[in-house]
């Protein structure tokens, strides 16, 4: 079915002037075939039942052009986001920028433009293609595609910080960045991916995709942080393919946008792999956020823990879908999921769908979901000590997400998560 | 549950245990040619001497049915059904009258024998005490017991056809008010061709002195069963309703697409229990009933209550979501379910709790047991609408897997549009392990005893909701269905 | 300092207090005793402003800066900032918020209301550490979430800590002695006594004499069926301890 959005995507395919070469070009072609076959999601699809694409699909976008040098306002933004201790990789509208000139990459870490690579490492073909239609859109249009690698046995302490900035513009623009991340055997990485669309709220649209591969016994700490202005639609897909005894600690802090969707696809594909996923969606105003998790245990003795918390104020709307699949051969799986949403306003709305698909009797699986409002007795307790009601609400809202933040491994990623929340979370929820 | 200490029969005996209700009765039936069209609908309506408005209702539903697509979203798979290859009417031939039989001495003795064999004696001397039974054989209600006792307190309990004849105003007032004719594919089909079923009306303030019960029996081959039940509990009344179902063993699949509508007015309580044991097909998955049923209740008045309890142990495919619309303030909805699948059975069952009124409360307890090569899914929706201030839902949804070829699925959806509501959902999976069985056996329980103890523990919240005699039957049924599955 | 006149209160449509009168002067300690269900906790909740309770008749007046003010017009936090403190019978657990953050927020809210500069984190941490040491609380309770996984005794002690930090002028302590062993009772009783000062009024709500062994009351009130039926000196508590409420109830004709 056609729509202005699909028309803009197809129009962008045939834009001249982009040199097509290497593995990058191959990825774009594959993406086109997928989009051509699949189209955009329809309302009737289960995975999109609670997030309406109607507004987004009715808009047209043109691809954002590369900008050099960066406007001063954006440089200011960058300095706000970046921490001196992080190693930055900055993408503006999908294109790589090196602020302050290039810096030597940490030893054992490589960043390669897929334009210059003949083929993508075959490990990325082992996991099935993403089920997220916008992942295919991203693949078909990616302005750039980079391969980040951590060599076998290399343990990087300082976080690699990938900043994705969507620059404000009067015209409705779209951008599409794409990353491949590969951790060698026993490698370890702290990885921070932030997505920011500053601006007053002119329509804009960005997709982003990360495909990560974790080899045996590797360890990845991953923080995903996003915030969009009220006119911004952002769809991000993160797929992680984990081999034996690898460990993933993932946290998402999503501050929403006009339409904001984070799709997480996890494959625990080696014995004893473990994934800890956390997600936080503090929303207010008319913001929307949709988190869609599909975690699949495909190998024995895997362990997964998911903790998702939302705090909804104003007329905001959140959707959470968390599906856990345990394959036939995945004996000894231990999977847990908890989703809790706090509603602060009568106009906020949440839809939650925790799902289990079990094909194996030797498993331990549990999920829990709750929604509710602040408890009156807690509010009374705080106010009886002299704390004004509004402040007490904010304090309780902060307390509601504290266990999640406190569970992020101690270090810079936890500080980043707190800072992101303080800067981009709803002001009414700040204690 | 008592723990039996009888000597344990050989394992294989259980494996080979046959479906005990799988016999066929040789009863002369009147049937129509296969196929679905306006002519058939008119035939059914005429056969039942229906008033024009009901024929209109059927024809509209048929028109609606032709515009709907068969739902494919459930976690079940089966070959496409050819709806023109089904017979939509079958009635046991009455001996004396042209009409469906009513008085007990007019019922074909072979029919009475059939029900007696099923454990449901209908004659005055032998009938069950404390329970009034409406016996439905293929498309037609055969007999309803205990009419006099019920009439004395003003309770109407009769076949749907009789209700259309004798209480047309009540039927017309409530028919399709809970499940509209075009609600879904199978509800539309049922609305067009429904044959018979039970009708029940409990007057204001009456606590029904007997439990009411409908027993459904499919006998004829290549025939669909499309019964319709309508139960109205007027203000302040109370009723327990029980439902049982069996069918013969046949190699072909048979379609059962029923509609059950419940209406609870102010302060009324309806407890609706089902033990479903339709023929489930053989070990290879051949034959069995396709059980595609729409059951829904409306808590129309404040402080009304509708409680669904189901033990789903039969059918080759079950597609069924007994639901409650909580319209009246302070109304209560409950869904307690045990669904067991074995061999090649597939079940996709659950509930919808739609909270409309203030301070409405719903509880969902679902226990899924999968064994053999079966697939068992819980699918649920809890919707809190903006006006449902102070609404509460608690959902608990547990799966038990027996063996490693089966699967369990959980698909709950929670939609909350009112912040003063509290919604809680919990789900878990567990298994009956050989270790647990051995542990119990080492304490002197035989296999049967160990199994029944574990099953009972897993399902106890649901069994507690069943009337005693049903509960005993349910445990026996589950044990029988699971024999040989635990190694 | 506090004057309650003809107070009628109901909760969930059920009347609890039915014409209660109570006057408390600064520098005095009062004890309110009475059988279960007589309305003791309701009285303290109403003074603190719990929205669960509805006042249907009567007045509650507190002298603030030398002028009588109607407490019933004030929200719970305004009352607290005016110096009212309630020691909860069942202290509420607040997951995710540390004792330190909670108390600092409350302390600074009170400072702000009184036009005093707010205290910075370091200074407040030092103040809290000192108060905790005096009350006999281990320092790790500062970083733990408010009352979460505290034992019954630890929760009660935490209430007294809050009183010590916030420095109220009028404190109602609702069954602070329940669930305490003998040693904790003595230690908490001593802490309360130390916190007393001439500008402060203290109302103890209790079932038993035993707390009063450590915190000497000036006046005892017996609350029965929503009304104070008898008031007297400390000897009244001893009499109740010995003979129960029956005689007093008979004498009062209830």
């Amino acid at each position: 079915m056609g729509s202005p959005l699909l028309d803009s995507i197809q129009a962008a395919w045939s834009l001249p002037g982009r040199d097509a070469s290497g593995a990058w070009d191959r990825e774009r072609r594959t993406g086109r075939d997928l989009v051509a076959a699949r189209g955009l999601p329809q309302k009737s699809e289960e995975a999109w039942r609670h997030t309406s694409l109607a507004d987004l699909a009715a808009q047209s976008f043109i691809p954002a052009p590369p900008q050099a040098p960066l406007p001063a306002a954006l440089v200011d933004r960058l300095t706000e986001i970046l921490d001196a201790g992080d190693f930055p990789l900055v993408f503006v509208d999908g294109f790589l920028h090196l602020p302050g000139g290039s810096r030597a990459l940490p030893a054992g870490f490589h960043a390669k433009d897929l334009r210059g690579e003949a083929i993508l490492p075959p490990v990325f073909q082992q996991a099935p293609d993403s089920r997220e239609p916008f992942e295919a859109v991203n693949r078909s249009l990616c302005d750039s595609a980079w391969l980040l690698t951590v060599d076998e046995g290399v343990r990087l302490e300082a976080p690699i910080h990938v900043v994705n900035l969507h620059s404000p513009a009067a015209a409705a623009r779209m951008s599409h960045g794409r990353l491949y991340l590969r951790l060698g055997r026993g490698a370890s990485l702290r990885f921070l991916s932030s997505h920011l669309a500053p601006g007053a709220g002119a329509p804009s649209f960005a997709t982003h995709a990360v495909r990560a591969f974790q080899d045996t016994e590797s360890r990845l700490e991953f923080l995903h942080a996003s915030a969009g202005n009220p006119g911004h639609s952002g769809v991000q897909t993160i797929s992680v393919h984990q081999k034996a005894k690898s460990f993933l600690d993932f946290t998402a802090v999503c501050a929403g946008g006009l339409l904001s969707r984070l799709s997480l696809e996890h494959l625990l594909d080696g014995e004893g792999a473990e994934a800890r996923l956390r997600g936080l969606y503090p929303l207010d105003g008319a913001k929307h956020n949709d988190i869609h998790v599909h975690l699949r245990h495909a190998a024995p003795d895997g362990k997964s823990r998911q903790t998702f918390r939302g705090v909804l104020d104003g007329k905001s709307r959140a959707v959470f879908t968390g599906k856990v699949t345990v394959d036939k051969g995945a004996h000894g799986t231990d999977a847990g999921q908890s989703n809790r949403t706090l509603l602060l306003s009568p106009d906020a709305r949440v839809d939650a769908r925790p799902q289990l698909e079990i094909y194996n009797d030797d498993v331990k699986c549990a999920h829990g979901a709750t929604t509710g409002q602040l408890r009156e007795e807690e509010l009374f307790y705080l106010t009886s000590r002299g704390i004004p009601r509004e402040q007490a609400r904010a304090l309780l809202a902060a307390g509601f997400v504290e266990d999640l933040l406190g569970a992020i491994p101690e270090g810079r990623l936890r500080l980043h998560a707190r800072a992101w929340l303080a800067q981009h979370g709803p002001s009414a929820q700040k204690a | 549950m008592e723990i039996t200490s009888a000597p344990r029969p050989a394992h294989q005996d259980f494996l080979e245990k046959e479906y005990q209700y799988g016999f066929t009765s040789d009863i002369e039936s009147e049937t129509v040619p296969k196929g679905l069209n306006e002519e058939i609908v008119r035939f059914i309506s005429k056969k039942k001497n229906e008033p024009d408005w009901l024929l209109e209702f059927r024809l509209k539903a048929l028109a609606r049915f032709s515009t709907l697509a068969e739902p494919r979203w459930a976690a079940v798979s089966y070959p496409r059904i050819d709806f023109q290859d089904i017979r939509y009417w079958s009635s046991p031939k009455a001996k004396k009258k042209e009409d469906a039989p009513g008085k007990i001495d007019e019922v074909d003795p072979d029919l009475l024998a059939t029900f007696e064999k099923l454990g449901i004696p209908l004659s005055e001397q032998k009938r069950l005490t404390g329970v009034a039974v409406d016996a439905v054989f293929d498309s037609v209600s055969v007999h309803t017991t205990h009419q006099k006792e019920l009439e004395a307190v003003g309770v109407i309990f009769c076949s749907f056809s009789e209700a259309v004849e004798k209480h047309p105003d009540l039927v017309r007032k409530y028919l399709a008010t809970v499940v509209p004719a075009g609600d879904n594919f199978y509800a539309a089909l049922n609305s067009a061709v429904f044959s018979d079923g039970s009708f029940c009306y409990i007057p204001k303030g009456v606590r029904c002195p007997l439990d009411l019960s409908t027993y459904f029996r499919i006998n004829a081959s290549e025939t669909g069963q499309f019964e319709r039940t309508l139960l109205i509990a007027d203000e302040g009344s109370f009723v327990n309703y029980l439902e049982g179902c069996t069918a013969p063993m046949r190699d072909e699949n048979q379609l059962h697409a029923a509609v059950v509508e419940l209406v609870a007015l102010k302060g009324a309580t309806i407890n609706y229990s089902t033990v479903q044991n339709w023929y489930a097909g053989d070990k290879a998955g051949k034959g069995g009933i396709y059980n595609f049923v729409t059951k829904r209740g409306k808590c129309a008045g404040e402080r009304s209550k509708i409680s669904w309890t189901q033990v789903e142990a039969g059918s080759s495919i079950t597609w069924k979501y007994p639901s409650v619309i909580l319209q009246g303030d302070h109304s209560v909805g409950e869904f307690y379910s045990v669904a067991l699948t074995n061999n090649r059975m597939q079940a996709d069952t659950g509930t919808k709790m739609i909270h409309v009124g203030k301070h409405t409360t719903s509880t969902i307890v679902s226990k899924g047991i999968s064994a053999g090569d079966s697939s068992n899914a819980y699918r649920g929706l809890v919707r809190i609408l903006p006006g449902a201030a102070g609404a509460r839902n608690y959902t608990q949804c547990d799966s038990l897997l027996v063996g490693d070829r089966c699967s369990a699925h959980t698909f709950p959806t929670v939609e909350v549009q009112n912040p003063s509501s509290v919604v809680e959902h919990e789900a878990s999976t567990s298994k009956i392990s050989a270790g647990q069985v051995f542990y119990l056996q080492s304490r002197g329980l035989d296999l049967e005893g160990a199994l029944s103890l574990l099953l009972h523990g897993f399902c106890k919240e649901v069994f507690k909701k069943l009337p005693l005699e049903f509960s005993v039957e349910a445990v026996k049924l589950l044990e029988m269905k699971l024999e040989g599955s635990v190694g | 300092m506090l004057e309650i006149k003809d107070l009628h209160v109901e909760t969930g449509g059920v009347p609890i207090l039915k014409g209660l009168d109570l006057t408390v002067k600064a520098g005095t300690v009062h004890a309110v005793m009475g059988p279960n269900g007589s309305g003791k906790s309701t009285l303290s909740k109403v003074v603190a402003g719990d929205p669960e309770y509805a006042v249907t008749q009567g007045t509650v007046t507190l002298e603030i800066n030398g002028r009588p003010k109607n407490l019933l017009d004030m929200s719970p936090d305004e009352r607290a900032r005016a110096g009212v403190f309630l020691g909860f019978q069942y202290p509420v657990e607040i997951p995710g918020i540390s004792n330190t953050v909670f108390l600092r927020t409350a302390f600074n809210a009170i400072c702000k209301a009184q036009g005093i500069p707010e205290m910075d984190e370091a200074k407040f941490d030092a103040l809290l550490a000192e108060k905790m040491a005096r009350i006999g609380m281990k320092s790790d309770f500062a970083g733990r979430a408010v009352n979460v996984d505290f034992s019954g005794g630890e929760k009660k002690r935490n209430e007294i800590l809050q009183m010590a930090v916030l420095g109220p002028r009028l404190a109602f302590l609702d069954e602070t002695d329940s669930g305490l062993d003998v040693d904790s009772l003595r230690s908490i009783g001593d802490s309360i006594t130390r916190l007393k000062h001439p500008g402060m009024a203290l109302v103890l709500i209790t079932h038993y004499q035993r707390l009063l062994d450590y915190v000497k009351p000036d006046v005892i009130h017996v609350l029965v069926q929503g009304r104070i039926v008898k008031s007297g000196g400390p000897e009244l508590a001893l009499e109740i301890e010995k003979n129960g409420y029956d005689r007093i109830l008979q004498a009062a004709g209830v």
Side-chain angles (χ1 to χ4, degrees):
Chain A
M1 232 162 46
S3 71
L5 177 66
L6 191 57
D7 294 345
S8 353
I9 291 165
Q10 284 161 346
W13 289 344
S14 47
L15 273 187
R18 300 216 169 164
D19 59 331
S21 60
W24 175 68
D25 186 50
R26 205 190 312 269
E27 284 301 282
R28 296 194 1 144
R29 283 174 195 284
T30 312
R32 277 178 214 189
D33 293 344
L34 287 171
V35 176
R38 171 80 168 71
L40 293 180
Q42 300 301 313
K43 203 183 161 189
S44 56
E45 284 175 41
E46 269 303 290
W48 288 85
R49 203 152 66 86
H50 293 95
T51 288
S52 169
L53 276 178
D55 290 348
L56 178 63
Q59 295 178 59
S60 300
F61 299 93
I62 52 161
Q67 300 188 53
L70 286 187
L74 282 188
V75 176
D76 289 349
R77 278 291 182 175
L78 278 177
T79 26
E80 273 172 35
I81 297 173
L82 286 170
D83 189 293
D86 301 346
F87 187 90
L89 285 169
V90 176
F91 292 86
V92 176
D93 300 326
F95 302 99
L96 181 70
H97 280 259
L98 295 170
S102 59
R103 236 166 90 180
L105 292 168
F109 178 76
H110 312 277
K112 289 177 183 166
D113 189 341
L114 281 187
R115 218 175 297 225
E117 300 292 303
I119 54 155
L120 192 65
V123 292
F124 291 107
Q125 257 96 61
Q126 287 178 13
D129 274 330
S130 168
R131 291 192 197 179
E132 176 67 60
F134 283 102
E135 208 269 352
V137 169
N138 175 282
R139 201 168 176 180
S140 77
L141 280 177
C142 51
D143 303 300
S144 63
W146 285 74
L147 169 65
L148 311 180
T149 315
V150 186
D151 289 344
E152 189 173 324
V154 170
R155 298 177 173 272
L156 295 178
E157 290 297 318
I160 301 291
H161 188 168
V162 174
V163 180
N164 299 281
L165 207 54
H166 192 91
S167 61
R173 285 174 171 176
M174 60 179 173
S175 70
H176 313 276
R178 190 172 179 87
L179 287 179
Y180 291 87
L181 178 62
R182 178 184 179 177
L183 272 70
R185 256 170 186 275
S188 117
L189 174 68
R190 299 199 167 99
F191 186 74
L192 168 54
S193 170
S194 45
H195 297 261
L196 187 64
S204 59
F205 173 51
T207 69
H208 194 267
V210 176
R211 282 185 79 92
F213 174 82
Q214 282 189 256
D215 211 333
T216 311
E217 291 178 349
S218 63
R219 177 187 173 95
L220 175 60
E221 287 177 29
F222 191 147
L223 174 66
H224 167 93
S226 70
N229 68 60
H232 183 71
S233 300
V235 183
Q236 292 119 17
T237 309
I238 297 171
S239 347
V240 185
H241 180 187
Q242 286 184 250
K243 296 309 257 187
K245 291 184 184 143
S246 60
F247 179 84
L248 168 71
D249 186 284
F250 175 87
T251 308
V253 180
C254 302
L258 173 70
L259 182 152
S260 168
R261 164 124 161 166
L262 173 63
S263 204
L264 302 174
E265 298 169 332
H266 292 269
L267 178 61
L268 277 68
D269 188 22
E271 222 165 295
E274 178 173 351
R276 291 192 188 158
L277 313 185
R278 278 171 225 105
L280 196 57
Y281 42 101
L283 307 173
D284 67 350
K287 286 200 169 169
H288 160 278
N289 193 73
D290 179 349
I291 295 183
H292 200 95
V293 190
H294 185 196
L295 186 147
R296 190 175 137 207
H297 283 272
D301 298 320
K303 184 175 172 183
S304 62
R305 286 289 173 272
Q306 300 183 44
T307 316
F308 289 85
R309 298 278 182 273
V311 182
L312 274 52
D313 210 342
K315 289 185 172 167
S316 63
R317 172 148 189 205
V319 184
F320 173 79
T321 307
K323 180 158 151 187
V324 175
T325 302
V326 181
D327 285 2
K328 250 185 191 10
H331 302 282
T333 291
D334 178 357
Q337 181 190 74
S338 145
N339 171 227
R340 294 175 62 198
T341 306
L342 187 60
L343 297 172
L344 294 179
S345 135
D347 299 319
R349 167 169 183 180
V350 61
D351 300 308
R353 298 189 303 162
Q355 308 184 338
L356 291 174
E357 276 192 322
I358 317 286
Y359 295 89
N360 184 325
D361 70 342
D362 181 21
V363 298
K364 225 167 84 184
C365 284
H367 67 212
T370 64
T371 72
Q373 61 181 354
L374 290 176
R375 285 168 56 203
E376 206 46 57
E377 59 165 350
E378 294 181 3
L379 267 174
F380 174 62
Y381 192 66
L382 293 190
T383 53
S384 82
R385 297 296 179 251
I387 301 171
R389 198 175 160 89
E390 278 314 298
Q391 202 178 352
R393 272 165 50 104
L395 206 53
L396 289 172
F400 180 76
V401 300
E402 181 52 39
D403 64 334
L404 188 152
L405 289 168
I408 302 173
E410 204 168 341
R412 280 248 275 292
L413 292 192
R414 196 201 282 182
L415 296 176
H416 269 297
R418 286 192 191 279
W420 193 268
L421 195 61
Q423 211 174 345
H424 302 287
S427 54
Q429 295 173 26
K430 280 170 204 157
Chain B
M1 180 67 211
E2 249 175 68
I3 296 160
T4 50
S5 54
R8 145 170 123 79
H11 219 89
Q12 279 307 313
D13 290 354
F14 283 127
L15 280 168
E16 306 306 328
K17 203 164 194 164
E18 277 191 16
Y19 178 65
Q20 118 184 54
Y21 306 107
F23 62 88
T24 359
S25 308
D26 188 14
I27 285 178
E28 210 184 331
S29 301
E30 182 181 14
T31 57
V32 294
K34 286 177 178 177
L36 177 62
N37 51 48
E38 200 180 307
E39 204 183 322
I40 291 288
V41 171
R42 284 181 187 279
F43 170 85
I44 294 171
S45 188
K46 186 156 183 247
K47 195 82 204 158
K48 294 157 66 65
N49 288 322
E50 284 177 356
D52 288 347
W53 64 266
L54 197 49
L55 176 62
E56 282 301 304
F57 173 82
R58 288 176 180 277
L59 291 172
K60 268 190 199 159
L62 180 68
R64 190 66 214 279
F65 174 73
S66 62
T67 68
L68 294 170
E70 200 178 336
R72 305 304 290 188
W73 42 261
V76 295
S77 63
Y78 54 92
R80 270 195 191 280
I81 297 171
D82 181 354
F83 288 91
Q84 296 304 338
D85 195 35
I86 294 171
R87 232 183 282 281
Y88 288 88
W89 173 264
S90 171
S91 155
K93 255 191 186 153
K95 285 206 165 162
K96 291 184 182 168
K97 286 202 291 179
E98 188 62 31
D99 234 337
K103 285 189 185 135
I104 192 71
D105 51 7
E106 291 169 359
V107 178
D108 184 338
D110 289 345
L111 263 179
L112 291 180
T114 298
F115 278 98
E116 199 157 329
K117 200 169 166 188
L118 293 168
I120 317 287
L122 300 174
S123 65
E124 289 280 344
Q125 301 79 27
K126 293 181 182 167
R127 66 185 191 183
L128 303 169
T129 51
V131 186
V133 179
D134 182 24
V136 178
F137 190 85
D138 287 338
S139 300
V140 174
S141 168
V142 172
H143 181 69
T144 313
T145 65
H146 294 84
Q147 287 293 341
K148 271 186 200 144
E149 290 94 320
L150 295 172
E151 269 166 29
V153 290
V155 170
I156 303 169
F157 182 45
C158 59
S159 73
F160 201 93
S161 311
E162 193 180 332
V164 170
E165 191 185 320
K166 292 186 180 159
H167 312 282
D169 295 345
L170 273 176
V171 175
R172 203 171 175 179
K173 184 172 174 190
Y174 290 105
L175 179 69
T177 56
V178 184
V179 180
D183 185 79
N184 66 65
F185 185 80
Y186 296 110
L189 176 62
N190 175 288
S191 299
V193 301
F194 72 88
S195 41
D196 208 342
S198 302
F199 175 86
C200 171
Y201 172 80
I202 318 289
K204 258 184 207 176
V206 169
R207 195 183 163 92
C208 191
L210 297 167
D211 289 352
L212 305 185
S213 158
T214 304
Y215 195 92
F216 295 102
R217 173 71 179 173
I218 295 180
N219 190 58
S221 63
E222 299 174 308
T223 306
Q225 178 144 338
F226 307 94
E227 82 278 354
R228 192 155 186 125
T229 298
L230 178 57
L231 198 166
I232 301 128
D234 211 328
E235 292 182 9
S237 65
F238 176 97
V239 63
N240 281 332
Y241 197 93
L242 323 171
E243 186 188 68
C245 344
T246 56
M249 288 158 70
R250 292 188 191 282
D251 286 348
E252 91 241 26
N253 293 108
Q254 275 177 286
L255 179 63
H256 171 248
V259 169
V260 175
E261 294 181 278
L262 312 182
V263 180
L265 300 180
K266 187 175 167 183
T269 296
I270 302 173
N271 295 321
Y272 196 105
S273 310
T274 303
V275 173
Q276 184 262 103
N277 187 21
W278 295 120
Y279 178 54
D282 67 9
K283 279 179 67 69
K286 195 164 191 192
I289 301 291
Y290 289 168
N291 191 32
F292 301 152
V293 171
T294 305
K295 288 184 165 179
R296 197 176 302 154
K298 182 154 79 179
C299 284
E302 62 183 71
R303 296 187 197 277
S304 54
K305 177 178 173 185
I306 290 178
S307 181
W308 296 102
T309 305
Q310 60 172 21
V311 175
E312 298 288 313
S315 296
S316 138
I317 299 177
T318 298
W319 180 98
K320 169 180 178 191
Y321 314 92
S323 303
V324 184
I325 301 166
L326 295 139
Q327 197 174 58
D329 292 350
H330 297 278
S331 58
V332 176
E334 291 179 340
F335 174 73
Y336 286 84
S337 168
V338 169
L340 178 138
T341 54
N342 198 352
N343 300 326
R344 305 262 171 193
M345 290 162 69
Q346 305 173 61
D348 193 303
T349 182
T351 184
K352 289 194 266 189
M353 292 290 174
I354 312 294
H355 290 256
V356 185
K358 293 185 184 62
H359 301 289
T360 44
T361 310
S362 62
T363 306
I364 299 171
V365 176
S366 162
K367 305 282 180 177
I369 304 168
S370 338
D373 294 287
S374 70
S375 156
N376 198 326
Y378 167 79
R379 190 181 301 276
L381 171 68
V382 175
R383 179 178 285 157
I384 311 285
L385 291 167
R392 281 201 69 108
N393 162 266
Y394 173 74
T395 300
Q396 186 194 336
C397 171
D398 299 323
S399 311
L400 186 70
L401 290 98
V402 184
D404 59 2
R405 300 192 314 275
C406 55
S407 65
H409 312 254
T410 313
F411 304 111
T413 297
V414 177
E415 298 178 353
V416 179
Q417 299 180 54
N418 187 303
S420 64
S421 59
V422 177
V423 178
E424 289 177 78
H425 175 99
E426 282 176 45
S428 74
T429 56
S430 51
K431 61 170 178 173
I432 288 185
S433 67
Q436 283 174 313
V437 173
F438 173 70
Y439 182 78
L440 292 174
Q441 284 179 317
S442 78
R443 295 295 177 263
L445 276 75
D446 64 2
L447 179 70
E448 199 174 57
L451 203 59
S452 95
L453 195 68
L454 291 167
L455 271 181
H456 204 261
F458 181 70
C459 303
K460 66 171 183 294
E461 291 109 311
V462 178
F463 288 160
K464 252 184 356 210
K465 283 281 175 179
L466 285 172
L468 184 67
E469 62 274 25
F470 252 42
S471 151
V472 172
E473 189 190 330
V475 177
K476 288 226 159 72
L477 181 59
L478 294 188
E479 278 169 21
M480 194 184 86
K481 293 263 169 177
L482 266 188
E483 291 303 353
S485 298
V486 178
Chain C
M1 174 189 269
L2 174 73
E3 188 154 19
I4 298 174
K5 277 189 181 160
D6 191 29
L7 186 62
H8 288 70
V9 173
E10 56 181 54
T11 182
V14 181
I16 309 282
L17 297 184
K18 305 159 184 165
L20 182 139
D21 296 293
L22 178 68
T23 305
V24 181
K25 289 200 166 58
T28 61
V29 176
H30 290 237
V32 176
M33 305 181 76
N36 287 331
S38 59
K40 300 190 299 295
S41 287
T42 301
L43 171 63
S44 59
K45 291 267 174 79
V46 168
V47 171
D50 190 335
E52 289 289 302
Y53 296 86
V55 175
T56 53
Q57 195 176 316
T59 56
V60 179
T61 316
L62 180 71
E63 211 176 275
I64 301 170
N65 297 326
R67 282 212 300 273
K69 280 265 247 189
N70 184 0
L71 268 191
L72 300 179
D73 288 344
M74 298 162 70
S75 63
D77 49 316
E78 287 169 337
R79 297 182 201 200
R81 293 197 294 271
V84 177
F85 181 87
L86 167 61
F88 282 60
Q89 182 184 0
Y90 303 109
V92 178
E93 298 183 6
I94 314 278
I97 303 172
S98 72
N99 246 339
T100 307
V101 169
F102 163 56
L103 275 171
R104 190 177 65 228
T105 310
F107 185 85
N108 282 334
I110 293 170
C111 289
K112 202 171 153 192
Q114 296 179 350
I116 306 168
E118 294 178 32
M119 197 178 270
D120 66 32
E121 293 188 17
K123 275 199 185 135
F124 184 81
D125 287 350
L127 173 87
L128 186 61
E130 184 221 310
K131 300 282 186 195
M132 285 177 74
R134 271 216 218 155
I135 304 277
M137 263 175 102
K138 281 198 207 118
S139 56
D140 66 323
F141 280 91
R144 285 172 54 178
V146 180
N147 295 327
V148 177
D149 299 328
F150 284 30
S151 72
E154 287 162 353
K155 283 182 182 169
K156 292 298 170 70
R157 205 179 288 272
N158 203 26
E159 294 292 291
I160 302 305
L161 172 69
Q162 292 171 35
M163 182 165 93
V165 171
L166 303 178
R169 295 166 55 234
L170 170 68
F172 272 71
L173 299 182
D174 189 1
E175 298 204 20
T176 299
D177 51 351
S178 65
L180 294 183
D181 60 39
V182 184
D183 294 330
S184 308
L185 185 67
R186 178 187 300 119
S187 141
I188 282 184
D190 291 347
S191 299
I192 296 171
T193 303
R194 277 203 301 275
L195 290 170
K196 272 195 322 182
H197 58 84
M200 177 189 180
L202 191 57
V203 181
L204 305 172
I205 287 172
T206 181
H207 270 291
Y208 307 107
Q209 161 68 27
R210 49 185 211 166
L211 177 67
L212 307 179
D213 290 341
Y214 304 102
V215 189
K216 299 282 180 233
D218 301 299
V219 191
I220 307 279
H221 306 277
V222 181
L223 178 59
V224 178
Q225 292 179 11
R227 237 173 288 165
I228 286 177
V229 297
K230 189 168 185 183
S231 299
E235 70 286 351
L236 188 54
L238 295 169
E239 188 198 321
I240 291 168
E241 185 79 1
K242 208 170 131 200
N243 302 322
Y245 292 107
D246 285 354
R247 234 178 259 180
I248 298 169
L249 297 190
Q250 275 166 14
V254 280

